[in-house]
């Protein structure tokens, strides 16, 4: 049976383009210490621009899955889904090993952004393959957030009270119980080590993508899908306000409130893009943003490679990154703008490489 021609959802590509551009801009800052506050992640509780981009990308993965699987016969095999997931995890792990190479277990990190994407994709793609209704991913998202939220309010083994402080409580305990002996993150206040992409927070990260799947299936057959998207965005915002009594908005814990507020923002932006796309979709800026979304994973890997080159390649007694940063500082710009200009330059190089690879058809897709 021939495969149906897939028409790209350009507003969705643009949403993913915004997300990946934000991730690149946040990751390539020349100095975390001197960067604008909004381009750094919140230290613990709170929400900044940098905290929006990864959840927006996972939401976009969920929105795209039904478009690639529903109505396609035969559906992608579970073996193919597992291979894609494993590839993402291995690429992320490989990049981590290049940056922090070590054969000592306590210095090796097994989690990260691409690794989390691989795990989330595995669970959600299999769910999408095995179901056809919006109800299954919607129920799964609710259950995952509820289980995660309840566990956050339970004391860890050996503790008398629950805690959501850095490295403490059930989340920190599970990080050390499952990932103990490997490289974990410390906290500026020297609290217990933890992992921002740890096991417990992965539950609500999966829920983020499940929400995207449910929304896509709810809206795809409606005459006015934008209204449905807006309605779910408003619902997520209302649930955030109600749930804020129980959980803070926290990226490191990926709390249910963090999931819901990011779903509200991401779906709101998608609705806006769908409304304005007939007017702006033909513009060069819109086409470029959508193109970035179409090569988002390739761009993420390329920007990591560019960052590694700047960190590792020597140049005149320092590495390339230090030389470039010093050259920008010599212009006399304020240090926050120095950090931003550094990111813009390296981000521009990364984008140019990714688009050149796209022109040759050398892209990684999930």
């Amino acid at each position: 049976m021939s495969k149906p021609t897939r028409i790209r959802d350009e507003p969705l590509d643009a949403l993913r383009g915004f997300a990946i551009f934000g991730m690149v801009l946040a990751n390539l800052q020349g100095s975390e210490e001197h960067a604008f506050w909004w381009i750094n992640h919140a230290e613990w509780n709170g929400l900044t621009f940098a905290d929006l981009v990864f959840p927006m990308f996972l939401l976009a993965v969920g929105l795209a899955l039904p478009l690639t699987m529903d109505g396609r016969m035969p559906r992608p095999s579970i073996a193919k889904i597992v291979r894609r997931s494993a590839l993402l995890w291995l690429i992320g792990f490989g990049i981590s090993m290049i940056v922090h190479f070590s054969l000592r277990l306590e210095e090796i990190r097994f989690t990260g952004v691409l690794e989390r994407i691989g795990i989330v994709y595995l669970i959600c793609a299999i769910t999408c393959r095995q179901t056809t209704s919006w109800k299954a991913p919607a129920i799964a998202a609710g259950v995952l957030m509820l289980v995660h939220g309840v566990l956050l309010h339970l004391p860890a083994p050996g503790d008398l009270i629950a805690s959501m402080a850095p490295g403490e409580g059930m989340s920190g305990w599970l990080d050390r119980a499952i990932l103990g002996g490997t490289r974990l993150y410390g906290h500026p206040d020297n609290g217990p080590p933890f992992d921002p992409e740890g096991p417990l927070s992965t539950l609500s990260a999966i829920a983020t993508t499940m929400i995207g799947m449910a929304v896509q299936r709810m809206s795809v057959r409606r005459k006015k899908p934008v209204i449905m998207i807006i309605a779910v965005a408003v619902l997520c915002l209302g649930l955030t306000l109600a749930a804020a009594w129980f959980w803070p908005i926290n990226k490191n814990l990926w709390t249910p409130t963090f999931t819901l507020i990011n779903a509200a923002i991401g779906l709101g932006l998608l609705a806006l893009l769908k409304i304005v796309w007939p007017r702006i979709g033909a513009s060069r800026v819109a086409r470029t943003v959508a193109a970035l979304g179409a090569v988002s994973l390739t761009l993420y890997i390329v920007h990591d490679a560019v960052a590694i080159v700047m960190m590792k390649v020597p140049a005149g007694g320092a590495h390339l990154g230090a030389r470039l940063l010093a050259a920008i500082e010599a212009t006399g710009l304020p240090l926050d703008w120095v950090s931003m200009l550094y990111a813009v330059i390296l981000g521009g190089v990364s984008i140019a490489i990714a688009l050149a690879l796209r022109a040759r058809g050398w892209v990684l897709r999930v």
Side-chain angles (χ1 to χ4, degrees), residues 27-45:
N27 291 344
L28 291 177
Q29 287 297 307
S31 169
E32 183 177 347
E33 178 184 359
H34 296 122
F36 290 106
W37 68 269
W38 51 268
I39 204 65
N40 281 329
H41 294 292
E43 185 174 325
W44 196 245
N45 295 335

Side-chain angles (χ1 to χ4, degrees), residues 89 92-110 181-184 312:
W89 190 91
F93 180 72
I95 291 171
S96 177
M97 286 293 284
I98 293 172
V99 176
H100 300 284
F101 180 77
S102 176
L103 296 179
R104 299 174 60 188
L105 183 62
E106 62 270 21
E107 295 178 357
I108 298 175
R109 187 173 184 231
F110 292 92
T182 65
R183 183 165 63 90
L184 297 175
K312 300 291 186 179

Side-chain angles (χ1 to χ4, degrees), residues 79-221:
K80 185 175 182 179
I81 292 171
V82 171
R83 285 197 300 270
R84 288 182 172 181
S85 175
L87 178 62
L88 284 169
W89 190 91
L90 288 170
I91 292 172
F93 180 72
I95 291 171
S96 177
M97 286 293 284
I98 293 172
V99 176
H100 300 284
F101 180 77
S102 176
L103 296 179
R104 299 174 60 188
L105 183 62
E106 62 270 21
E107 295 178 357
I108 298 175
R109 187 173 184 231
F110 292 92
T111 59
V113 171
L114 284 175
E115 293 92 329
R116 170 161 281 182
I117 293 173
I119 293 169
V120 170
Y121 172 80
L122 175 66
I123 303 301
C124 293
I126 290 176
T127 301
C128 189
R129 181 187 186 277
Q130 299 300 115
T131 64
T132 56
S133 169
W134 63 268
K135 295 178 183 178
I139 292 171
V143 170
L144 287 167
M145 286 189 288
L146 181 61
V147 170
H148 181 195
V150 169
L151 287 174
L152 286 174
H153 278 287
L154 294 179
D159 292 345
L160 295 177
I161 59 172
S163 175
M164 297 185 210
E168 297 182 3
M170 189 64 77
S171 182
W173 180 84
L174 280 171
D175 287 347
R176 294 185 293 276
I178 296 174
L179 302 171
T182 65
R183 183 165 63 90
L184 297 175
Y185 276 62
H187 190 262
D189 296 331
N190 295 318
F194 67 95
D195 195 302
E197 277 81 42
L200 190 56
S201 62
T202 300
L203 297 181
S204 284
I206 295 170
T208 300
T209 301
M210 291 287 188
I211 291 172
M213 288 170 53
V215 171
Q216 187 64 264
R217 283 178 168 174
M218 291 171 67
S219 61
V220 71
R221 291 185 175 87

Side-chain angles (χ1 to χ4, degrees), residues 218-228 274:
M218 291 171 67
S219 61
V220 71
R221 291 185 175 87
R222 294 182 178 270
K223 293 182 179 179
K224 296 181 178 180
V226 172
I227 295 177
M228 175 58 67
K274 285 183 175 292

